[in-house]
Amino acid sequence: MEIANRQHYRTTPIGAKGTTIPYSEIVTHQTTMDLVSDQEVDHHYFRALEKEGVFLNRAQLEAVRASRGPHLIIAGAGSGKTRVLTSRAGYLLTYDTTIRPNNMMLVTFTRKAALEMLSRIQRLPGISRKMATEMVSGTFHSIFLRILRKMKYDQQILSNEKWKEIMVKGILKEERLHDSYEPETILSCISSFKANLQRPGDVLAKTPIEREIQGIYEKYEHVKNSKNLMDFDDILMESYYLLKENESLLERIQGTIRYVQVDEYQDVNKAQHELIKLIVKAPDQNVFFVGDEDQVIYNFRHATPKYILNLSKEYPNLKTITLGTNYRSTDSIVGLGNEIIKHNKYRLGKQLTATKTSHTTPFYMRPSDTLEEAVQIVDNIQADVSLREREYKDYAILYRTHNNSRNIFDELVLRDIPFVTKNEKVFYEHPLVKPVLDHLRLSQNPNLIEAIESVAPSMYLNKEKAVQHVLEATLGQQKKNMLRSLLVVPSLKPFQMQKIYDRIEFIEGLKDKKPVDAIREVRKGQPKYDEYLESDERKTLTQQKEMVRETMDELEASATRFNTIEEYLAFIDKILDKYKNMEQLRKEPNADCIQLMTIHSAKGLEFPVVYVIGFSQTILPHASAFSANDKQDRLIPEENKEQLEDNAFEEERRLAYVAVTRAQEELYLSSPQEYRNKTVDVSKFLLDAFSSAK
């Protein structure tokens, strides 16, 4: 394949001690055609699979034939785990006459995965559609909701996030905390409690803030129960306590569900892990765990590698089978992944092999900053597409956090290149960013009521009362300055009026400044916006202070290429319009557009060409990992507070590994030299990969 000039790229990262490119071993496996003779009792099944194009290697065959007892299938990236899961389900139903479809439970993490597995199982030899649909299959939530429904739990599911936010807003208003917390923050804390099987009375609240959160949690449960509602987290928590307390029900379920298969076991939280333990009846423990400890990246969803790493302690007869061949990527991509992840301590350990030879090796880029990074990457993609060897839909651009995508996002908009994000909020709508931009908007037009509502808390005014007053004070007066009407809010004391007056004067003074200077003024004004955010523990409860500063730094950087606030705001409005237009592209499965997403969102996906941006220290690994032991901003279960920094770095390395192993054919890794006005080194994860590469 012809590719455009790669003058900005190297074949090893700058600063690497080793220069030898890591390749994985290339293997040509024997398949069931060689491994299963026609004299074996189950040969008919494998011959039929082969007619459908399903050829299993030795490890996959062993896993499919594994029937009794507990098994852990370590499924490396691209190793064919879905093929194994579905083939084993068909095998058990075909060759064990004591197993009926409803004796099998197949658990997945997404509805899409569940439907795909059912579709594959229906196409297996000897399996009818009826047999497949009789299996107990679905996501954790769908399976356990069915159990609750059979036990007369008739609550309506509170599935709409907006409904939950409205409910929490009502509680916050009642408690006079509506300007102190974002509803999303409260809901995140409540979700954390429930994932750890903590009802309101189980929460060990030590600080005033924690006691405040616990009280809101208790009221949330009261309101929810009074309306006969249940949220998604309740499904698992209530199922757990139901089964723990109803022994006869648990025994009936254990008597029916005799074989359990769980996909993506590395992603389970405490509630999910404990539910599977309840269902799997001793002494048989016919459970089939499939997962990869090297891909545990959802700590924010309460997943931790300890559950998959400690299975052998909980299931003494556990047999482990490793699917160690990557069928997705070329040998140089697999080799780099191996060298990155081998430096983690908390893993079972495996070295993946490949089946595809590389035509190119991974490329490494060292742009001066993230703007140059965006320009060079988009230049390269456009050049490749112009050669008609690639389409836009072949490309994915991955990043550690939403903030890291801002320059790429902006560059693609400026060049009118089609792209979609994976249901991510646009940077300029971030709840920390929007109030700053609204200061700028009000400097140009003081009559934007939504912007007035946004900035009111920075004047220590209640949002709702401020807006209500403004609307009443300016009713029928089109030329009235709405912003200045805040000066006559009822019941203000003289010192409050002075502070509001000063703030309005400050906003009006931004009018003719360059946008980057205006943002700096907002950040260092009185009160200082950054310090206003950071000083309120309620506002930083679920995020690191580094995240607050990082977001503000990124906003400042976004304004540097514009000379006037009017020009800058017009560009942002164009970005927001572009984001709305993405909705149509998302509905078209074959739309020719670049995919932009976080590494977290990319897990489980694959792309012909992958660009990973921000492969530098403090970006990947993220700055928050360097101070994890001092983490005070988040509510963390006691059992997860040990070795925070080690765990944080290991998860960051797993993120790097997941990013690299999404690429099928071409991989480009970019390590900007400067990030938000600070010099940053190439990521330690890349340099470590070349410290001993052979």
Side-chain angles (χ1 to χ4, degrees):
M1 175 183 293
E2 183 181 6
I3 61 174
N5 180 26
R6 289 290 178 262
Q7 61 178 333
H8 303 301
Y9 288 85
R10 299 163 51 94
T11 54
T12 58
I14 290 176
K17 292 181 180 178
T19 57
T20 303
I21 296 168
Y23 286 88
S24 69
E25 180 186 354
I26 289 275
V27 294
T28 304
H29 282 296
Q30 288 183 311
T31 71
T32 45
M33 291 183 67
D34 313 294
L35 300 170
V36 180
S37 72
D38 288 344
Q39 282 69 50
E40 295 187 64
V41 56
D42 55 5
H43 77 277
H44 294 290
Y45 183 73
F46 295 106
R47 296 293 92 85
L49 283 182
E50 290 157 9
K51 287 180 181 178
E52 297 296 322
V54 178
F55 300 87
L56 305 174
N57 65 32
R58 187 179 297 278
Q60 291 170 335
L61 174 62
E62 183 184 3
V64 167
R65 281 173 162 170
S67 56
R68 306 289 171 137
H71 287 81
L72 169 59
I73 311 303
I74 299 296
S79 62
K81 69 178 179 65
T82 303
R83 174 174 294 189
V84 167
L85 275 163
T86 54
S87 297
R88 179 179 184 264
Y91 183 86
L92 290 177
L93 291 174
T94 302
Y95 283 95
D96 191 332
T97 56
T98 68
I99 303 176
R100 299 178 58 82
N102 68 341
N103 297 146
M104 296 187 62
M105 185 166 83
L106 175 56
V107 190
T108 63
F109 268 81
T110 65
R111 184 171 180 271
K112 180 181 178 182
L115 292 174
E116 181 187 350
M117 287 199 188
L118 271 186
S119 174
R120 290 200 193 188
I121 289 171
Q122 289 171 17
R123 297 196 298 269
L124 292 172
I127 306 299
S128 66
R129 178 183 176 85
K130 183 174 182 293
M131 291 172 68
T133 54
E134 285 177 353
M135 293 176 60
V136 181
S137 66
T139 63
F140 274 96
H141 290 86
S142 67
I143 289 173
F144 286 99
L145 179 59
R146 279 175 249 162
I147 293 174
L148 293 177
R149 291 297 191 223
K150 286 180 181 178
M151 296 304 294
K152 309 303 182 185
Y153 283 66
D154 62 351
Q155 295 96 323
Q156 181 182 346
I157 301 300
L158 191 56
S159 57
N160 189 309
E161 287 299 314
K162 285 296 177 188
W163 294 351
K164 292 198 288 186
E165 288 174 16
I166 289 169
M167 188 182 298
V168 170
K169 281 181 181 178
I171 296 168
L172 293 174
K173 186 174 182 181
E174 183 181 314
E175 296 296 308
R176 298 184 179 181
L177 293 169
H178 46 298
D179 287 335
S180 300
Y181 293 106
E182 293 292 335
E184 297 95 327
T185 300
I186 297 296
L187 290 170
S188 175
C189 292
I190 291 173
S191 179
S192 175
F193 294 140
K194 293 183 179 183
N196 286 284
L197 300 174
Q198 293 176 296
R199 291 166 168 171
D202 301 322
V203 176
L204 298 175
K206 297 178 180 178
T207 69
I209 297 297
E210 289 174 353
R211 286 191 286 273
E212 213 165 60
I213 296 294
Q214 182 184 31
I216 297 169
Y217 178 21
E218 195 166 1
K219 289 183 181 297
Y220 171 78
E221 291 301 293
H222 176 74
V223 173
K224 185 166 55 63
N225 293 337
S226 70
K227 297 178 181 296
N228 201 37
L229 297 171
M230 174 187 292
D231 64 29
F232 273 112
D233 294 309
D234 288 327
I235 294 172
L236 301 187
M237 187 172 74
E238 291 303 319
S239 294
Y240 172 77
Y241 284 111
L242 171 66
L243 295 179
K244 282 281 286 185
E245 296 162 8
N246 191 328
E247 191 173 333
S248 62
L249 172 63
L250 179 58
E251 287 177 354
R252 288 202 304 274
I253 291 174
Q254 289 172 334
T256 302
I257 305 296
R258 295 165 44 211
Y259 289 83
V260 177
Q261 293 191 164
V262 191
D263 190 19
E264 303 282 11
Y265 203 76
Q266 76 279 345
D267 293 337
V268 297
N269 59 32
K270 183 174 182 177
Q272 292 158 337
H273 179 70
E274 294 298 330
L275 277 167
I276 294 300
K277 281 172 63 177
L278 285 175
I279 296 294
V280 178
K281 184 179 180 181
D284 296 335
Q285 295 186 320
N286 295 323
V287 59
F288 195 77
F289 303 105
V290 179
D292 181 4
E293 83 282 7
D294 290 333
Q295 297 189 63
V296 182
I297 60 171
Y298 294 135
N299 178 263
F300 63 93
R301 294 180 189 167
H302 323 296
T304 166
K306 71 180 182 181
Y307 295 125
I308 194 168
L309 291 176
N310 293 332
L311 283 175
S312 60
K313 297 177 183 177
E314 298 183 277
Y315 300 86
N317 297 322
L318 185 77
K319 182 175 182 180
T320 300
I321 301 170
T322 299
L323 307 183
T325 299
N326 180 307
Y327 292 93
R328 172 190 298 152
S329 309
T330 63
D331 56 346
S332 63
I333 294 171
V334 175
L336 177 60
N338 285 339
E339 291 298 320
I340 286 175
I341 200 61
K342 79 176 190 181
H343 294 274
N344 267 9
K345 294 184 295 184
Y346 303 112
R347 60 191 300 256
L348 297 168
K350 62 180 174 299
Q351 186 86 351
L352 294 185
T353 57
T355 61
K356 299 177 182 177
T357 303
S358 302
H359 296 293
T360 64
T361 61
F363 291 101
Y364 301 88
M365 174 183 176
R366 186 70 163 144
S368 61
D369 55 25
T370 55
L371 177 58
E372 184 177 87
E373 174 181 66
V375 170
Q376 291 180 359
I377 287 173
V378 177
D379 281 348
N380 286 337
I381 291 174
Q382 281 192 306
D384 287 351
V385 171
S386 70
L387 291 172
R388 300 188 183 278
E389 292 287 351
R390 290 285 185 197
E391 298 176 285
Y392 287 125
K393 65 183 178 182
D394 291 335
Y395 295 90
I397 301 175
L398 310 183
Y399 34 85
R400 171 61 179 84
T401 68
H402 300 297
N403 291 339
N404 303 140
S405 68
R406 201 268 312 159
N407 265 315
I408 286 284
F409 200 118
D410 290 1
E411 192 66 26
L412 292 170
V413 169
L414 286 168
R415 302 202 203 184
D416 202 27
I417 293 174
F419 71 97
V420 293
T421 62
K422 197 172 176 66
N423 298 316
E424 297 167 5
K425 285 185 178 180
V426 65
F427 172 77
Y428 300 103
E429 290 283 273
H430 191 288
L432 299 179
V433 168
K434 191 174 182 300
V436 179
L437 294 177
D438 284 333
H439 277 76
L440 272 60
R441 290 186 189 280
L442 287 170
S443 76
Q444 308 298 301
N445 180 355
N447 297 322
L448 299 174
I449 193 67
E450 184 181 342
I452 291 173
E453 180 181 18
S454 175
V455 305
S458 70
M459 302 182 190
Y460 301 101
L461 288 171
N462 176 281
K463 282 184 181 182
E464 293 179 5
K465 289 182 179 178
V467 168
Q468 182 180 354
H469 167 76
V470 166
L471 292 175
E472 290 174 354
T474 58
L475 185 65
Q477 303 179 48
Q478 294 183 354
K479 294 184 179 180
K480 184 80 172 180
N481 185 312
M482 287 186 169
L483 181 62
R484 283 197 165 260
S485 69
L486 291 174
L487 289 168
V488 288
V489 171
S491 304
L492 287 179
K493 295 176 179 170
F495 78 91
Q496 289 177 300
M497 289 182 61
Q498 185 62 48
K499 285 184 178 297
I500 294 170
Y501 176 81
D502 291 343
R503 196 67 178 174
I504 292 172
E505 289 276 299
F506 171 77
I507 290 172
E508 292 173 346
L510 300 174
K511 182 177 176 63
D512 297 320
K513 292 183 179 293
K514 286 189 174 184
V516 66
D517 294 331
I519 291 169
R520 286 171 183 158
E521 288 294 317
V522 174
R523 294 185 69 180
K524 71 179 184 181
Q526 294 295 331
K528 295 181 180 178
Y529 187 73
D530 289 17
E531 291 181 6
Y532 155 72
L533 291 172
E534 292 175 11
S535 64
D536 190 339
E537 289 184 59
R538 298 177 177 115
K539 294 186 182 299
T540 58
L541 190 64
T542 59
Q543 56 195 331
Q544 293 294 311
K545 287 188 170 81
E546 292 92 341
M547 292 285 193
V548 174
R549 289 191 289 270
E550 179 180 299
T551 302
M552 291 297 98
D553 288 346
E554 189 60 43
L555 177 63
E556 193 174 302
S558 74
T560 54
R561 63 169 78 179
F562 300 96
N563 291 316
T564 67
I565 291 176
E566 183 180 18
E567 180 187 14
Y568 178 49
L569 293 175
F571 173 73
I572 290 172
D573 289 338
K574 183 179 179 181
I575 292 276
L576 297 176
D577 286 340
K578 185 82 171 181
Y579 187 79
K580 291 175 185 175
N581 294 337
M582 284 183 206
E583 294 302 319
Q584 186 57 41
L585 282 176
R586 286 196 187 100
K587 295 175 184 176
E588 301 174 20
N590 294 313
D592 188 23
C593 56
I594 299 169
Q595 302 278 332
L596 267 65
M597 65 188 76
T598 63
I599 301 169
H600 288 98
S601 297
K603 184 172 166 291
L605 303 178
E606 57 187 33
F607 310 92
V609 186
V610 168
Y611 282 85
V612 185
I613 63 175
F615 229 128
S616 298
Q617 291 291 94
T618 72
I619 311 176
L620 182 64
H622 192 269
S624 60
F626 292 85
S627 57
N629 286 339
D630 301 323
K631 193 178 292 184
Q632 299 294 329
D633 296 333
R634 294 190 290 179
L635 296 178
I636 306 166
E638 285 295 326
E639 62 196 73
N640 296 338
K641 288 187 177 180
E642 295 181 4
Q643 301 173 314
L644 287 175
E645 194 165 300
D646 282 351
N647 292 338
F649 272 108
E650 294 235 336
E651 179 150 339
E652 292 294 309
R653 200 188 301 271
R654 290 192 293 268
L655 276 167
Y657 174 73
V658 167
V660 164
T661 54
R662 298 311 94 196
Q664 295 170 296
E665 300 166 16
E666 296 178 47
L667 175 64
Y668 301 86
L669 308 173
S670 175
S671 305
Q673 300 174 47
E674 186 177 284
Y675 184 56
R676 299 185 182 129
N677 301 316
K678 293 181 181 178
T679 301
V680 289
D681 295 329
V682 173
S683 172
K684 172 179 170 57
F685 301 151
L686 289 182
L687 299 183
D688 285 349
F690 280 84
S691 64
S692 59
K694 296 179 181 180

